[in-house]
Amino acid sequence: MSYVDEVLEKIKKRDADQPEFIQAVTEVLDSLRPVIDKDEEKYRKLAVLERITEPDRQIMFRVPWVDDNGNVQVNRGFRVQFNNAIGPYKGGLRLHPSVNLGIIKFLGFEQIFKNSLTTLPIGGGKGGSDFDPKGKSDNEIMKFCQSFMTELSKYIGADEDVPAGDIGTGAREIGFMFGQYKRIKGVYEGVLTGKGLTYGGSLARTEATGYGLLYLTEEMVKCHGDKMEGKVVAVSGSGNVAIYACQKAQQLGAKVVTVSDSTGWVYDPEGIDVELLKEVKEVKRARLTEYAAARSSAEYHEKKNGEHGVWQYKVDIALPCATQNELDIEDAKMLVANGVKYVAEGANMPTTIEATKYFQANGVPFVGGKAANAGGVATSALEMSQNSERLSWSFEEVDSKLKGIMVGIYHNIDDAAKEYGMEGNYVAGANIAGFKKVVEAMIAQGVC
Ligand code: NDP
């Protein structure tokens, strides 16, 4: 049995209750076969795959807090510090009822390779809680965040582990957590990224993931002898990534015709009105029904099982920006039948493995989230740099560095795929390029 299969088998047995983690590891290790097979004995002897698939540590803790009615609530907190071979652990905090250890492990594992691809010195980690911020008052959010940070603060630090936002954790939550860290530790340091601009945040961090996704997509489109101008785009989600993906796509001359949330989706053939979307989602924190009510060209559809949602329309580019496994094989077939030309993931693992393979088999250039959404963490690392030198860079400076990083990532993954005879397989290219750098550092640092 090959070394890759041996390790996959062990993980499937050991972590049988963590389907998302198994899915992520399978996807990565499968695409690393050409690299591993070439030097199998070396990698086996050093147990490189066993080490890279086992977190350095996984921390789970109780998060007790008092709601507005005086009732004590208890949530579960997580921080998985996966790999710090190339820098301090770095990765977001997800607040969503679906959060469990397997989901945090899958995200932390993916983060190792994504962070490596940015070319910046950051390791991989992820955290969060099964706390549901929806419907909670600001006071309840603050109580939760303070309690969460009271425990988390024992394990993080500017040179150790630097968490950031993710689903459910935006500027408000980062602010409450930063305040509590400062209070407990008595130090003012860049321990979190995604901070407000008045206390160490970076300009362009809010826009970074969505903008970065479009910078990479634009480069891919260009390298296929094509242009963004006039392209019709389907975006899913209507959170941080989706909003700024819509904005940049439209700045580049494309037309975005869909957005969605967990209860439904909007089809707006005139093109999404980004200012209205921001008002509904960032200011009012309301449902997309409010967007549709305010715009005559928009249709709102309630989500029903088995429907294709935003993936049923005739578009040139599909950008899944909501959550994991939201684009399955049936959606992929529909998109391909409708002539989709490019797919790039704004979210983490939004496309199932079967759907990814279907795009690839049908010659649709497909870039996975590890590469395509790396702009967020790359800009977080730029925020860390600014905090360390106690300076703030202009929006233009950060944005132009972000663009350079994303264009560089596209060429890096394209070259890696070519080097191993898999031209155009950007999923394999991203895994290979990310893996090689981390493993070289791990081997240089000995068995640890
Ligand atoms: P937000 O919380 O801002 O937005 C998430 C969006 O996805 C919301 O519109 C939400 O709808 C929707 N959504 C969540 N769960 C589901 C579901 N089960 N079905 C359909 N829609 C759903 O998160 P972000 O925009 O920050 O993150 C989106 C994705 O991008 C995640 O996978 C995240 O890990 C990834 N990512 C984010 C980065 C960042 O910088 N923010 C960086 C790199 C990756 P609703 O409002 O109804 O919940």
Side-chain angles (χ1 to χ4, degrees):
M1 191 188 282
S2 76
Y3 178 40
V4 165
D5 288 320
E6 252 174 52
V7 174
L8 278 176
E9 196 146 293
K10 264 189 231 162
I11 291 171
K12 282 177 188 164
K13 271 197 205 134
R14 191 193 57 193
D15 296 324
D17 58 337
Q18 299 174 354
E20 292 86 359
F21 179 59
I22 291 173
Q23 182 182 343
V25 172
T26 305
E27 185 256 325
V28 171
L29 297 200
D30 258 342
S31 67
L32 289 175
R33 285 180 197 275
V35 182
I36 304 291
D37 291 353
K38 229 171 134 184
D39 245 332
E40 200 178 69
E41 277 326 296
K42 179 179 105 182
Y43 288 124
R44 196 197 298 267
K45 190 160 172 251
L46 293 169
V48 162
L49 295 184
E50 288 88 338
R51 285 198 277 151
I52 207 166
T53 54
E54 182 67 15
D56 289 353
R57 64 195 63 78
Q58 38 199 43
I59 301 146
M60 283 173 64
F61 50 94
R62 184 175 64 238
V63 189
W65 55 281
V66 181
D67 69 18
D68 288 348
N69 298 319
N71 299 317
V72 177
Q73 303 287 342
V74 178
N75 287 100
R76 182 172 281 178
F78 301 88
R79 186 70 183 166
V80 171
Q81 298 178 331
F82 223 115
N83 185 299
N84 65 353
I86 63 168
Y89 307 105
K90 179 101 200 81
L93 297 171
R94 178 172 292 191
L95 302 183
H96 194 272
S98 64
V99 163
N100 57 41
L101 183 61
I103 289 193
I104 298 299
K105 275 179 69 183
F106 118 64
L107 291 163
F109 180 68
E110 296 270 301
Q111 198 81 44
I112 304 169
F113 306 97
K114 180 189 306 190
N115 292 2
S116 164
L117 283 174
T118 65
T119 68
L120 303 169
I122 37 179
K126 196 83 187 186
S129 170
D130 59 0
F131 172 77
D132 186 359
K134 277 201 193 111
K136 304 288 190 299
S137 68
D138 280 356
N139 182 55
E140 289 175 324
I141 299 276
M142 183 176 76
K143 292 273 178 56
F144 168 82
C145 289
Q146 289 180 338
S147 178
F148 182 78
M149 183 50 85
T150 300
E151 186 61 24
L152 185 69
S153 63
K154 296 172 187 164
Y155 311 102
I156 62 176
D159 294 316
E160 196 179 348
D161 182 355
V162 184
D166 190 65
I167 291 180
T169 307
R172 174 182 55 170
E173 292 74 19
I174 292 288
F176 292 148
M177 289 183 198
F178 184 74
Q180 184 73 352
Y181 180 87
K182 192 166 54 82
R183 203 169 153 210
I184 292 173
K185 294 281 194 159
V187 287
Y188 204 108
E189 61 175 7
V191 68
L192 290 163
T193 57
K195 300 186 292 298
L197 293 176
T198 51
Y199 59 96
S202 173
L203 285 161
R205 174 60 190 92
T206 306
E207 295 83 355
T209 309
Y211 277 24
L213 170 67
L214 266 297
Y215 292 143
L216 183 140
T217 304
E218 185 190 27
E219 189 65 13
M220 165 166 67
V221 168
K222 255 199 231 160
C223 291
H224 284 79
D226 203 351
K227 57 180 185 347
M228 284 298 291
E229 226 174 355
K231 290 280 179 294
V232 179
V233 182
V235 166
S236 64
S238 50
N240 172 263
V241 180
I243 289 173
Y244 293 96
C246 291
Q247 187 170 70
K248 185 50 78 179
Q250 301 197 344
Q251 285 171 7
L252 295 174
K255 181 164 77 170
V256 179
V257 293
T258 64
V259 284
S260 64
D261 63 19
S262 46
T263 53
W265 76 92
V266 158
Y267 174 59
D268 190 344
E270 297 286 300
I272 295 295
D273 178 338
V274 176
E275 287 316 308
L276 175 60
L277 182 65
K278 283 168 88 170
E279 173 70 21
V280 171
K281 283 292 172 184
E282 291 184 339
V283 182
K284 294 186 181 161
R285 296 177 189 267
R287 311 307 313 168
L288 283 173
T289 42
E290 289 216 13
Y291 174 94
R295 192 156 156 92
S296 59
S297 56
E299 301 164 6
Y300 177 79
H301 300 267
E302 205 67 43
K303 182 173 160 182
K304 292 194 196 87
N305 277 346
E307 279 188 343
H308 295 294
V310 301
W311 313 126
Q312 66 187 280
Y313 302 101
K314 187 167 170 45
V315 295
D316 303 302
I317 301 178
L319 304 174
C321 297
T323 193
Q324 64 270 5
N325 293 327
E326 51 156 325
L327 196 168
D328 66 15
I329 179 72
E330 297 308 321
D331 300 322
K333 285 181 181 166
M334 183 116 211
L335 281 163
V336 170
N338 279 331
V340 74
K341 296 188 181 75
Y342 308 94
V343 180
E345 295 183 329
N348 285 316
M349 209 169 72
T351 314
T352 62
I353 291 181
E354 291 100 320
T356 302
K357 289 189 173 151
Y358 190 81
F359 287 129
Q360 291 171 328
N362 282 278
V364 177
F366 174 94
V367 185
K370 223 169 277 146
N373 71 30
V377 74
T379 308
S380 279
L382 299 178
E383 181 175 331
M384 288 165 71
S385 301
Q386 294 170 73
N387 292 165
S388 296
E389 59 178 24
R390 304 207 190 282
L391 289 173
S392 300
W393 306 340
S394 68
F395 186 96
E396 290 68 27
E397 193 174 351
V398 179
D399 189 40
S400 94
K401 283 193 165 70
L402 167 66
K403 187 166 182 184
I405 289 169
M406 298 312 295
V407 168
I409 290 177
Y410 174 74
H411 289 286
N412 191 9
I413 65 175
D414 188 36
D415 291 347
K418 284 180 185 151
E419 189 187 334
Y420 285 88
M422 293 185 282
E423 182 162 356
N425 185 341
Y426 303 119
V427 173
N431 289 331
I432 292 169
F435 174 83
K436 281 176 84 175
K437 179 177 171 189
V438 174
V439 164
E440 201 180 314
M442 283 170 67
I443 292 174
Q445 291 167 27
V447 176
C448 55

